[in-house]
Amino acid sequence: MSRPVITAFRASPDRGRGLARDMRVRWAFEEVGQPYDVRLLSFEAMKQPSHLARHPFGQIPTYEAGGVALFESGAIVLHIAEQHPGLLPEDPAARARAVTWLFAALTTVEPPIVERSMASILERDRPWYAQRLPMLDENVRTRLRQLSAHLAGADWLDGAFSAGDLMMVTVLRRLDGSGLLEEWPDLAAYIARAEARPAYQRAFADQLAVFQAASAG
Ligand code: GTB
C-alpha cells in the first residue's frame, strides 16, 4: 500500500517549534511506526481550489491514504490510532476513555489555550489587552488545575500512554513561553515525559528540518 500523505506548512510561523497541528499527526505516525510523506504548502497554496477540495477551510493538516481523505487533526490522529496498534487500548472501555481524553484535549482544554495565544499575538498592542489577559490566564489555569488533579502523580491520563495523551501534550505545548505551565511542575513533567518519547523526537526533528530548509532557501 502507498504511504499516507499529509500536508504541512512550507514555512511554519512557529519557526520549527512543533506547534502547528501537523506535529500531532507526525507524532501519531511515528508512535505506530507508519512511514508517511508530507506535501508542503505555502499560505497561498492552502487557499487554492486544489487544496480546498481536501480541506474546506484551507488549512493544514490533511491526510490521504488508501482512498480515505481527511482533514481536522483530531480526526486524523483518531483514524491513525484506529488503523494501527499502539495508540488505543484493546479493552473497549479503556479505548473509549482514551478517545474521551482526545476529545477533552481538543474541545475542553485547547480552546482557552488558543484564545490566550491568539490574544497575545493579535491584541498585544490593543488598549484592552492588559485588562483582558488576567481573565484569559485564569481560564487556562482552571483547566491546568483540573488536569493536574486528575493526573494525581500518574505518568499518563488513563493507564498507558494513548492518543489522548498525545493530543493533550500537543495542546499544552502551546503554552510554552506563557509562564503558566511552570505553576504546575507535575504538568511540566508530564509534557517532558511525552517529549522524551523517541517517536516524539523523530516527529519534532522532521518538522524542524522543514523549517530549517525553508529558512536556508
Ligand atoms: N481544527 C483544525 C485542526 O485541528 O486540524 C485547525 C487547523 C488549523 O488551525 N490549522 C492552521 C492553519 O492551517 C495551522 S495549525 N492555519 C492557516 C490558515 O488558517 O490560513 C495552527 C497554528 C499555527 C501557527 C502556530 N504557531 O505559529 O505557533 C501554532 C498553531
Side-chain angles (χ1 to χ4, degrees):
M1 198 174 108
S2 58
R3 287 150 67 114
V5 179
I6 66 167
T7 50
F9 284 131
R10 180 170 296 284
S12 179
D14 75 352
R15 307 184 60 78
R17 289 163 65 210
L19 298 176
R21 289 185 175 93
D22 59 297
M23 176 63 197
R24 50 189 65 163
V25 176
R26 292 171 180 272
W27 186 9
F29 276 134
E30 294 290 349
E31 287 286 348
V32 302
Q34 171 63 55
Y36 62 98
D37 292 321
V38 184
R39 187 184 307 122
L40 300 174
L41 299 175
S42 64
F43 276 92
E44 192 190 2
M46 285 160 54
K47 308 305 172 198
Q48 297 304 310
S50 57
H51 186 66
L52 289 169
R54 297 186 187 94
H55 196 309
F57 307 116
Q59 297 182 313
I60 59 96
T62 59
Y63 165 104
E64 292 155 77
V68 178
L70 301 173
F71 60 97
E72 285 299 330
S73 59
I76 298 169
V77 168
L78 181 56
H79 181 70
I80 294 168
E82 284 176 335
Q83 297 292 306
H84 306 271
L87 280 173
L88 289 174
E90 288 293 319
D91 171 67
R95 196 176 180 94
R97 289 197 303 275
V99 172
T100 299
W101 277 113
L102 185 148
F103 275 89
L106 291 173
T107 65
T108 303
V109 180
E110 190 168 52
I113 291 176
V114 169
E115 191 180 10
R116 185 196 182 282
S117 164
M118 294 312 289
S120 74
I121 296 166
L122 302 175
E123 299 176 28
R124 189 169 284 276
D125 299 330
R126 301 298 176 126
W128 59 79
Y129 181 67
Q131 274 186 308
R132 189 159 180 249
L133 186 60
M135 180 204 75
L136 297 172
D137 280 351
E138 211 38 49
N139 289 344
V140 173
R141 281 196 184 95
T142 298
R143 292 294 174 249
L144 298 184
R145 195 177 300 118
Q146 292 164 330
L147 256 188
S148 170
H150 171 82
L151 267 178
D155 278 358
W156 307 117
L157 290 167
D158 191 323
F161 178 84
S162 78
D165 292 292
L166 183 152
M167 195 57 78
M168 190 65 78
V169 167
T170 62
V171 163
L172 294 176
R173 285 192 68 248
R174 194 139 175 198
L175 288 170
D176 195 23
S178 70
L180 293 172
L181 281 169
E182 288 74 4
E183 297 176 24
W184 281 272
D186 59 331
L187 294 182
Y190 169 63
I191 296 167
R193 199 155 39 245
E195 289 176 339
R197 294 175 71 84
Y200 175 94
Q201 299 276 322
R202 288 193 295 274
F204 187 89
D206 284 351
Q207 64 77 40
L208 178 59
V210 171
F211 176 74
Q212 289 170 334
S215 308

